[in-house]
């Protein structure tokens, strides 16, 4: 198993290289860009972004007709000014040189500086990370605490009224996305049309720093209720059905029938024999579920509840063509995802030592 881990770790740099290279090429082919966006703002055209202008600011220099710049918004602007904007964004260099410089910096985890904020991308990600971690970890924990017992109960009572009744909630969880639940929760519980029990935005109140330790914990939990509930409702259905199907598959196997024939108690058969085998897929899928909750599932939830986390950061960076933030978050997310995929394989082996990836590859 050790040799398998070493091989997987050795593949991580190559995979990162492929991910970053492919996305860099896509960005170069995509229309628009930070230079064109700033030029459009100078000409008074709304580009739909949310950030301000150039980092550090620049005076608008007009004049110099007959401009043949490659940028659509450059007509009527001094070509020297356009070149200055290109230089500030680093677009005065050819794409290959920019790519090589970016990869060289990434080797030492230098993610560069945001185009529109006077802060390094690494510091910006660290600043936003607590919000996404809070939502992702609590949502994942609650999903597992609900889905595993519910899935086991449905498997043991397969076809019963309990199984059929709870299936309605599972179907609703499948059918309705989490952001729709979020909107419903706001309308009902956050002062939308009915009750005003929970705050609409942020993870803490304005007076959070002046609260006692107990008051801070309660205030934090109070702000988490609606976003975590929305993500939990939208994510528990698939895990519940996965747990049920895994247990049903194991319950019908011969070794379970043999254990029951020997007179073992039902709970001992279920938790002593079935549990470890049935939980293999469920436990091994935990890293992937956590990645989904941390980085992708929380995007719309962060937007709806105005939570300043990684999902909202990445979304705004894409709109603003803030490429250092886009590639910096992609780089770190890819590293985390690759390591968690390795943890998934290790979880398979821990849960069931009979699974040996190294022996299979050899």
């Amino acid at each position: 198993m050790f040799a398998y881990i070493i091989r997987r770790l050795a593949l991580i740099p190559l995979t990162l290289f492929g991910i970053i290279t492919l996305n860099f090429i896509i960005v170069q082919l995509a229309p628009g860009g930070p230079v064109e966006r700033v030029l459009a703002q100078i000409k008074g055209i709304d580009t739909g972004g949310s950030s301000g202008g150039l980092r550090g600011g620049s005076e608008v220099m007009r004049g110099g007709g007959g401009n043949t710049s490659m940028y659509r918004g450059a007509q009527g602007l001094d070509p020297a000014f356009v070149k200055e904007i290109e230089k500030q964004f680093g677009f005065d260099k050819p794409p290959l040189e920019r790519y090589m410089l970016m990869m060289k910096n990434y080797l030492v985890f230098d993610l560069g500086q945001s185009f529109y904020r006077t802060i390094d991308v690494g510091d910006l990600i660290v600043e936003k990370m607590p919000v996404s971690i809070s939502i992702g970890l609590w949502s994942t924990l609650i999903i597992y605490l609900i889905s595993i017992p519910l899935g086991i109960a449905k498997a043991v009572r397969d076809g019963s009224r309990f199984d059929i009744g709870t299936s309605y909630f599972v179907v609703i969880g499948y059918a309705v996305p989490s952001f729709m639940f979020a909107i419903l929760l706001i309308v009902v519980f956050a002062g939308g049309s009915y009750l005003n029990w929970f705050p609409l935005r942020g993870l803490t109140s304005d007076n959070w720093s002046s609260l006692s330790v107990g008051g801070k914990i309660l205030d934090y939990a109070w702000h988490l209720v609606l976003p975590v509930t929305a993500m939990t409702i939208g994510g528990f259905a698939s895990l519940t059905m996965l747990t049920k199907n895994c247990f049903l598959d194991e319950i019908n196997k011969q070794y379970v029938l043999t254990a029951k024939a020997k007179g073992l108690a039902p709970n001992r058969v279920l938790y002593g024999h079935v549990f470890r085998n049935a939980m293999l897929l469920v436990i091994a899928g935990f890293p992937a579920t956590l990645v989904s909750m941390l980085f992708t599932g929380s995007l719309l939830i962060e937007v709806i509840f105005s939570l300043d986390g990684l999902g909202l950061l990445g979304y705004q960076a894409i709109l603003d063509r803030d490429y250092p933030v886009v590639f910096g978050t992609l780089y770190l997310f890819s590293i985390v995802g690759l390591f968690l995929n390795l943890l998934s394989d290790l979880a398979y082996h821990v849960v069931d030592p009979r699974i040996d990836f190294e022996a299979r590859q050899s």
Side-chain angles (χ1 to χ4, degrees):
M1 194 64 183
F2 179 76
Y4 172 76
I5 295 174
I6 297 300
R7 284 197 296 268
R8 285 291 299 272
L9 290 176
L11 285 174
I12 288 179
L14 294 176
T15 308
L16 279 174
F17 173 79
I19 292 172
I20 297 299
T21 301
L22 178 61
N23 282 273
F24 184 86
I25 294 173
I26 292 174
V27 165
Q28 302 310 306
L29 298 176
V35 176
E36 189 164 343
R37 178 177 177 274
V38 170
L39 294 176
Q41 286 183 334
I42 291 173
K43 300 296 289 289
I45 302 173
D46 183 13
T47 58
S50 58
S51 299
L54 275 170
R55 184 178 67 234
S58 296
E59 293 185 3
V60 178
M61 300 172 61
R62 299 184 180 274
N67 188 2
T68 59
S69 173
M70 59 182 290
Y71 303 108
R72 289 179 297 174
Q75 288 78 12
L77 298 177
D78 188 346
F81 175 65
V82 176
K83 292 292 184 183
E84 180 63 26
I85 295 178
E86 287 182 328
K87 184 176 180 180
Q88 291 197 35
F89 283 119
F91 279 74
D92 56 327
K93 304 180 181 68
L96 180 59
E97 184 178 346
R98 286 188 278 115
Y99 170 77
M100 297 300 295
L101 180 61
M102 181 182 69
M103 297 301 290
K104 178 182 176 182
N105 292 334
Y106 280 5
L107 289 175
V108 293
F109 286 90
D110 179 5
L111 304 182
Q113 191 174 36
S114 169
F115 284 158
Y116 307 107
R117 314 180 195 212
T118 56
I119 183 173
D120 289 337
V121 174
D123 295 336
L124 188 60
I125 292 174
V126 171
E127 178 186 318
K128 308 298 183 184
M129 192 173 291
V131 174
S132 296
I133 290 178
S134 295
I135 301 173
L137 284 180
W138 284 114
S139 300
T140 304
L141 177 62
I142 294 174
I143 286 173
Y144 268 77
L145 289 176
I146 293 175
S147 299
I148 292 177
L150 180 59
I152 295 174
K154 287 175 66 64
V156 173
R157 300 171 178 83
D158 184 42
S160 66
R161 300 173 75 177
F162 171 81
D163 181 38
I164 296 173
T166 54
S167 294
Y168 288 109
F169 295 99
V170 174
V171 170
I172 293 174
Y174 266 125
V176 184
S178 58
F179 72 89
M180 291 296 295
F181 279 114
I183 296 173
L184 176 63
L185 291 173
I186 289 174
V187 171
V188 177
F189 297 109
S193 300
Y194 300 96
L195 305 174
N196 192 16
W197 290 355
F198 298 98
L200 181 58
R201 56 189 302 149
L203 283 183
T204 56
S205 300
D206 294 336
N207 63 336
W208 190 80
S209 58
S210 63
L211 298 175
S212 63
V213 175
K216 289 180 179 179
I217 294 175
L218 290 176
D219 183 73
Y220 171 73
W222 182 48
H223 282 76
L224 275 177
V225 169
L226 293 188
V228 169
T229 300
M231 292 189 66
T232 301
I233 293 175
F236 88 100
S238 58
L239 184 60
T240 298
M241 294 309 299
L242 175 63
T243 305
K244 176 188 175 181
N245 292 333
C246 288
F247 271 82
L248 278 178
D249 184 56
E250 292 296 324
I251 287 173
N252 295 323
K253 288 185 176 179
Q254 184 62 43
Y255 76 91
V256 177
L257 299 177
T258 303
K260 289 180 179 179
K262 290 180 179 180
L264 295 179
N267 284 341
R268 185 175 178 184
V269 174
L270 181 65
Y271 295 104
H273 296 271
V274 175
F275 187 82
R276 188 180 71 172
N277 294 328
M279 288 297 293
L280 179 61
L281 289 176
V282 177
I283 294 176
F286 179 81
T289 303
L290 182 59
V291 169
S292 175
M293 288 294 169
L294 284 175
F295 304 133
T296 57
S298 63
L299 170 58
L300 290 177
I301 299 299
E302 290 182 11
V303 173
I304 291 172
F305 288 99
S306 300
L307 301 173
D308 198 9
L310 292 175
L312 186 59
L313 173 66
Y315 175 71
Q316 291 178 338
I318 292 173
L319 291 181
D320 295 339
R321 302 296 196 271
D322 196 347
Y323 293 152
V325 176
V326 172
F327 284 109
T329 53
L330 174 66
Y331 179 66
L332 291 182
F333 291 175
S334 299
I335 291 177
V336 173
L338 290 170
F339 275 104
L340 287 179
N341 284 333
L342 176 58
L343 288 179
S344 294
D345 290 346
L346 296 180
Y348 275 112
H349 182 72
V350 170
V351 174
D352 189 349
R354 294 172 300 177
I355 297 178
D356 190 348
F357 293 98
E358 184 174 354
R360 289 187 177 189
Q361 287 191 352
S362 62

